[in-house]
Amino acid sequence: MSTPGINWSRLVAWMASNVPDVGEPTGVSLISGGKSNLTYRIDTRIDTRIDTRVDTGDRALVLRRPPLGHVLPTAHDMRREWRVISALAGTAVPVPEPVALCVDEDVIGAPFYLMGHVEGRAVRGRQDAELSPEDARALSERLAEILAAIHAVDYEAVGLADFGRPDGYMVRQLERWGQQWERSKTRELPEYDRLAARLRDRLPAASRAALVHGDYRLDNTLVRLAPGAAPDIRAVVDWEMSTLGDPIADLGLTLTYWHDPGDDERSALPVAGDITLTPGFLDSRGFAEHYARVSGADLGDLDFYVAFGNYKLAVIVEGIHARFVQGKTVGEGFDEIGAAVPLLVARAHRALDEGL
C-alpha cells in the first residue's frame, strides 16, 4: 500500500506492538494534504469475542504527521499537539480522543500521533454547508464561545504550566516570526520589513496569560451537520502552534481569516474561506464583540492584534510557498499561494492605519 508520507508496513507493525487494542489496520487515505501537517484516516478492524462468538467491527483513527520536506525549527511539533489534546480531554474544550504518540522517526519517517476519528467535517466555504441564517449565527457564536473556553482553561490544573512562557510573549512572537521569515523567504519584500518595525513600535501592554490555539478558525474545527439539528462543533484540531500566551493574539488571527461582506480583496487570498459570508453569520466585528461578552476580555488594542495576525499568516504562507517551490507539498491549491503574502502584509498595514 503506497501513500505519500506513510510507510504502511512499518506503521502496521508499530500499531500491533504498541496499540493492539485499536484493531488491525486495514487501510489508509489522505484526509488533507493540508498547507501544513498531513492528516490521514486509518481504518481498522476489531474482533471482539462474546462467549463463543467473534464479532467484527470497524473503527477509524486519524494520524497526524509533519509535512514532507524542509521543516523549520520548532514547527510541526507532534509532541506539542499530542500533549495539548491529552491535557484538554475532559475539559470544556472539545478535542479528539488521544490514542498514541510515536516519536520514532524510523516508523513512517517522522514523529506522528493517532487520535480518535470525530464524526464531523471541516467547514471552510459555503459549498461545505447549507446553513439557515439562524444556524449560521449559532455556529459563529459557538465558534467564539469555544475560543473563550480555550482561553479560560486553568492550564496549571490540566498539567500545562510549563507549556510556554507567557511573560514577554508578544516580543518573542515578533522575533520568532521574523526569524521564520528569514529562513523561509523566497524574495525580498520591503513592506514586510516596514511592517515588522511598525509592530515592534506598537507593542501593547502585556495581557493576561492563557492557553492559546495559535491558528483558530472554523476549518480547524470539526462540525457536525445533521438534518433537523443545529450545527455542533465536535472538536478543535490542529494544535501545532498552541502555547501559553496572549489570548487577544489568538482572536486577532481568527479575524485575519474572516471574510466580511464587501471585502472583495479577501477572496483573492487562497487561505480565505467564504463560509463567513453566509447570511446570518456574524461579521468580524460582531464575532469580536460576542467573544468579548462571553470572555470579559478588553479589546482596546484589537487593531494591533489583527495586524499581527496578518503578519504571522504572511510568514506561514511564505513557508508553504517555499515548500511548493521545492516540490515538497502534497495535494492541490499551492500554485498561487505565494501571491497572498504581499497582500497580507498590505492588509496588516491597513489594520494599523484604519483599524478593524
Side-chain angles (χ1 to χ4, degrees):
M1 188 174 298
S2 177
T3 303
I6 295 290
N7 185 311
W8 180 247
S9 61
R10 290 183 181 178
L11 175 63
V12 170
W14 183 88
M15 290 178 65
S17 297
N18 292 274
V19 285
D21 57 319
V22 302
E24 176 189 357
T26 58
V28 57
S29 55
L30 183 68
I31 295 175
S32 172
K35 304 296 188 286
S36 186
N37 289 336
L38 305 180
T39 307
Y40 304 82
R41 176 183 171 123
I42 308 293
D43 291 307
T44 69
R45 182 177 60 244
I46 302 174
D47 292 336
T48 304
R49 183 171 296 278
I50 303 175
D51 297 328
T52 60
R53 187 179 79 253
V54 175
D55 286 348
T56 298
D58 297 325
R59 180 185 181 187
L61 302 174
V62 171
L63 183 150
R64 289 268 288 171
R65 61 147 292 161
L68 306 180
H70 175 63
V71 174
L72 293 169
T74 77
H76 315 293
D77 187 346
M78 295 297 97
R79 298 171 186 84
R80 192 165 202 85
E81 285 201 26
W82 168 258
R83 183 178 176 191
V84 75
I85 68 167
S86 298
L88 292 176
T91 70
V93 180
V95 291
E97 173 198 0
V99 174
L101 170 70
C102 177
V103 297
D104 182 357
E105 297 189 12
D106 289 337
V107 178
I108 67 168
F112 67 91
Y113 70 90
L114 296 170
M115 58 186 173
H117 183 267
V118 175
E119 290 300 328
R121 70 174 75 168
V123 176
R124 186 168 182 266
R126 285 176 287 180
Q127 75 280 0
D128 297 326
E130 293 184 9
L131 300 172
S132 68
E134 295 76 18
D135 283 349
R137 183 177 183 87
L139 182 58
S140 53
E141 289 180 345
R142 183 63 178 143
L143 188 67
E145 291 157 7
I146 291 178
L147 182 60
I150 293 170
H151 299 158
V153 166
D154 184 339
Y155 56 82
E156 293 182 346
V158 299
L160 296 176
D162 61 346
F163 196 58
R165 294 180 295 144
D167 291 343
Y169 171 77
M170 288 308 303
V171 173
R172 289 195 310 278
Q173 281 286 292
L174 285 172
E175 292 174 351
R176 174 192 175 186
W177 292 106
Q179 291 166 358
Q180 300 283 57
W181 173 263
E182 292 302 322
R183 294 187 182 102
S184 299
K185 67 179 181 181
T186 62
R187 58 249 161 116
E188 296 296 329
L189 285 180
E191 282 300 288
Y192 165 85
D193 298 326
R194 187 169 74 89
L195 174 60
R198 292 187 73 188
L199 290 171
R200 286 192 296 269
D201 291 342
R202 289 272 299 273
L203 271 170
S207 179
R208 71 175 181 88
L211 175 67
V212 296
H213 180 276
D215 196 23
Y216 188 78
R217 60 186 194 267
L218 187 59
D219 58 327
N220 274 341
T221 72
L222 298 175
V223 179
R224 182 178 63 182
L225 299 167
D232 179 29
I233 295 177
R234 300 298 303 277
V236 180
V237 295
D238 291 12
W239 291 90
E240 63 180 284
M241 290 191 285
S242 58
T243 188
L244 303 183
D246 187 332
I248 311 307
D250 237 7
L251 175 63
L253 185 62
T254 301
L255 296 176
T256 298
Y257 288 110
W258 218 265
H259 192 163
D260 280 334
D263 185 359
D264 296 335
E265 179 186 72
R266 195 69 183 85
S267 60
L269 294 174
V271 292
D274 66 357
I275 188 64
T276 58
L277 293 178
T278 304
F281 223 90
L282 294 173
D283 64 12
S284 56
R285 187 171 298 279
F287 180 85
E289 290 171 350
H290 189 67
Y291 169 85
R293 278 193 298 273
V294 297
S295 68
D298 179 356
L299 302 187
D301 291 311
L302 184 57
D303 296 345
F304 167 88
Y305 290 104
V306 171
F308 174 76
N310 280 278
Y311 164 84
K312 175 180 173 179
L313 187 55
V315 177
I316 294 170
V317 171
E318 182 70 4
I320 298 167
H321 174 63
R323 289 200 299 276
F324 169 73
V325 171
Q326 297 163 7
K328 297 294 185 180
T329 49
V330 176
E332 301 178 350
F334 295 94
D335 52 334
E336 297 180 358
I337 200 167
V341 176
L343 185 54
L344 286 162
V345 169
R347 290 173 72 89
H349 281 294
R350 194 153 62 246
L352 291 174
D353 293 334
E354 303 173 9
L356 181 64

